[in-house]
Amino acid sequence: MKFGMRKPSLKKSIAARTSLKRYVRHNLGMKAPRGWGWLTNPKKAAYNRVYRKTTFSIFDIFKFFK
C-alpha cells in the first residue's frame, strides 16, 4: 500500500478515459450506481477506500489553496 503523494501520469489518465471497456459500459448502461463498489467487488472497494485515505495527489494541494 502506498502512503504519501501520488505521481500523476498523463498516459494512464488518457488511457482510462479512452478505453473500449469504458465506452461500452457507459453506452450500454451496465454501470452500478455510485457507492455500490462494495457489492460488485468488495476486495477492490476495501483497497480503494484505504488507498484514498492514505495518499494524496498534487492536484489536491492546489485545491487546498483555493
Side-chain angles (χ1 to χ4, degrees):
M1 180 62 60
K2 184 172 179 60
F3 292 94
M5 191 171 94
R6 299 186 301 269
K7 291 186 291 185
S9 170
L10 185 61
K11 183 179 178 182
K12 288 182 182 181
S13 181
I14 292 170
R17 289 185 175 93
T18 58
S19 71
L20 180 63
K21 182 178 177 181
R22 182 178 193 271
Y23 179 77
V24 169
R25 287 187 70 179
H26 278 258
N27 283 334
L28 296 179
M30 296 176 6
K31 287 180 54 82
R34 266 183 89 83
W36 281 35
W38 59 270
L39 189 62
T40 57
N41 192 343
K43 187 176 180 180
K44 185 176 179 182
Y47 175 88
N48 286 340
R49 178 168 282 188
V50 173
Y51 183 79
R52 179 82 173 112
K53 290 181 183 282
T54 58
T55 63
F56 61 93
S57 170
I58 191 157
F59 302 115
D60 293 338
I61 295 171
F62 293 129
K63 288 179 190 174
F64 178 74
F65 290 116
K66 265 190 161 180

